[in-house]
Amino acid sequence: MLHSAVVTDIEFAWSAVGGDPALLPRVSTVVREGALQGRLPVRELARACVGACALAAAELGARRAGLAEVPGVRVDDGAVATAFVSERHLLVDGRAPVNFTPLSRFWRTADGWLRTHANYPHHRARLLGALGVPEGTAAVAAVESALAERSALEIEEAVYAAGGLAVALRTPEEWAAQEQAAAVAGRPLVERGPLDSARARVLAPIDGDGAPLLPAAGLRVLDLTRVIAGPVATRTLALLGADVLRVDSPRLPELPDQHADTGFGKRSTTLDLVTDRRVFEELLAAADVVVTGYRPGALDRFGLSAEALAERRPGVVVAQLSAWGAYGPWGERRGFDSLVQVATGIAAVEGSPERPGALPAQALDHGTGYLLAAAVLRALTEQSYEGGSRFVRLALTRTAQWLMNGVGPSDAGEVSHGGPGARPTEKAPPYDIPDPWLSETDSALGRLRYARSPVAFEGGPVDWARPPGPCGADAPGWI
């Protein structure tokens, strides 16, 4: 189950986003033992996702700057490992954020284990309502008591029906027997393709001599995502020069610390898609990319399906992200990285007979985020030659399947990372402390310590041009 012919490396990731294999020798890898250690090949998956993203950025940068050769890409395990837990490294005026609230955890049930997610107030309320537990200071003890008397699958269904988030622990074999697992297995890691035959987008030339090479400079990105994966993708596009405008509902603002971690390089506004529809349509009319990260179908009633967006804005690239995939019996369910780990058997593999475990990072979120950014960048490159509105679509569960089926490092501690002619892998000191890949900056939120982006290529940017500001503080307009 855990070792198949699918190789967890950049060659597979690059192929998944439609990359030219002839560019793979432009990638070099710095291997550091001790980075993202787990029973599953998390380090290799993380390298692959970041490497594909950096190569896609370098390719688009070369195209726009008229360079004779695509810049070399360098993937350092230290930078990757630090970035994959960026939410843990964040400090706001010396204060560490709370990444999981007390009701977001594993619980014993009458027949096994269950994991809940209740970081957001509305999810907490729905969880408690489904369990018949009143709000109060003793909520944890009351939930623990309620769950201990019922089966995990029964609770999973009851909480889901109430609009909450709870998933029963499954082994890899139990997940493989699910109809949703079969639906996921039938899809590519990255779904991608044209939506129409709109004319090729003419991308303005960019400076490739002296100034940092910004492949996404001048591009406008509407960011309708939440939590980690989608915001990581748009945070990366912002690093590469895009004007990224994050749009949240005024009724469901992002958690402040979550926003601080993933808001680098972006601006942030709030819009009600019913009452502020005219403003949104004005933004869409000038957007190059729209990234959505809500439950499949949730935005369709606002005319935000990929097809509807392309009809109103020909030439747009639409990137869609979900937890379980936009298909199968779980296609409309809410989900998060931690819950996908539990459902797909990852938590069982990483745990012990006594207790489930977890990956060393929310690697499904971060990895899918970098893959999503890579797919957008490749879509923009393809579009510049061929035209057409484009869509790209990823799911955390599909990334989880890739990880579960992936091949770990060889006995030498190295992996294939670029095919024939690839640059040699560099062995570096073990990953010990994250300090070399952390920075600090002042912001409207306070003094921030944060992880720098691991996306690195010759002549590219080394940090974001602006720190995050308060959620929703910016006007709904383009720069």
Side-chain angles (χ1 to χ4, degrees), residues 420-475:
R423 294 183 177 188
T425 298
E426 175 188 339
K427 296 286 286 186
Y431 182 69
D432 185 11
I433 58 174
D435 295 28
W437 300 282
L438 297 175
S439 289
E440 292 193 9
T441 186
D442 290 317
S443 76
L445 304 176
R447 183 73 176 172
L448 303 179
R449 187 192 73 173
Y450 63 97
R452 294 196 303 274
S453 174
V455 175
F457 54 93
E458 294 172 6
V462 297
D463 207 343
W464 289 275
R466 55 181 290 162
C471 186
D474 294 297

Side-chain angles (χ1 to χ4, degrees), residues 165 182 288:
L165 293 137
D288 301 289

Side-chain angles (χ1 to χ4, degrees), residues 16 68 114 130 134 162 187 197 230 235 250 299 315 374 399:
L114 178 99
R187 303 287 178 138
S197 56
R235 181 179 71 182
L299 297 178
T399 304

Side-chain angles (χ1 to χ4, degrees), residues 2 17 32 36 46 74 79 88 124-125 154 183 191 215 243-244 297 385 443 445-446 459:
L2 300 182
V17 297
R32 297 181 189 273
L36 297 175
R74 182 180 175 88
R88 300 182 203 168
R124 173 188 168 93
E154 175 195 352
E191 298 181 72
D243 178 12
V244 178
Y385 289 103
S443 76
L445 304 176

Side-chain angles (χ1 to χ4, degrees), residues 79-320:
V80 172
T82 303
F84 264 58
V85 290
S86 62
E87 66 276 8
R88 300 182 203 168
H89 292 306
L90 178 72
L91 293 178
V92 182
D93 285 334
R95 176 187 60 81
V98 176
N99 291 311
F100 288 101
T101 60
L103 293 184
S104 297
R105 49 169 275 196
F106 284 108
W107 307 84
R108 274 279 194 188
T109 65
D111 60 352
W113 288 92
L114 178 99
R115 180 144 192 171
T116 56
H117 195 291
N119 283 2
Y120 290 92
H122 59 294
H123 291 155
R124 173 188 168 93
R126 292 168 185 171
L127 172 66
L128 294 177
L131 299 177
V133 174
E135 283 281 3
T137 56
V140 172
V143 168
E144 191 169 39
S145 177
L147 295 181
E149 299 173 354
R150 300 167 65 180
S151 76
L153 289 176
E154 175 195 352
I155 300 162
E156 177 183 280
E157 290 301 322
V159 173
Y160 165 68
L165 293 137
V167 172
L169 177 71
R170 292 169 173 83
T171 65
E173 293 74 22
E174 288 169 338
W175 173 250
Q178 298 286 314
E179 186 179 344
Q180 186 65 27
V184 170
R187 303 287 178 138
L189 178 62
V190 179
E191 298 181 72
R192 43 186 291 276
L195 290 165
D196 56 30
S197 56
R199 289 187 302 172
R201 177 75 47 89
V202 178
L203 299 177
I206 59 175
D207 187 1
D209 185 20
L213 185 62
L214 298 174
L219 296 174
R220 291 167 168 170
V221 178
L222 265 177
D223 177 3
L224 282 72
T225 68
R226 293 172 71 79
V227 198
I228 296 178
V232 163
T234 52
R235 181 179 71 182
T236 302
L237 296 175
L239 172 83
L240 300 172
D243 178 12
V244 178
L245 181 64
R246 162 93 181 235
V247 179
D248 283 284
S249 165
R251 294 184 299 277
L252 293 174
E254 183 61 281
L255 300 173
D257 290 337
Q258 197 90 66
H259 172 77
D261 177 50
T262 59
F264 282 86
K266 310 178 193 179
R267 293 177 301 114
S268 170
T269 194
T270 58
L271 286 178
D272 185 311
L273 292 181
V274 175
T275 61
D276 298 326
R277 191 50 184 259
R278 180 186 60 80
V279 178
F280 179 84
E281 292 299 325
E282 290 174 353
L283 292 171
L284 175 63
D288 301 289
V289 179
V290 178
V291 187
T292 67
Y294 287 76
R295 181 169 50 91
L299 297 178
D300 289 3
R301 62 192 175 98
F302 298 109
L304 299 183
S305 68
E307 295 75 14
L309 289 168
E311 184 176 341
R312 301 203 302 283
R313 174 59 168 156
V316 73
V317 172
V318 182
Q320 298 174 317

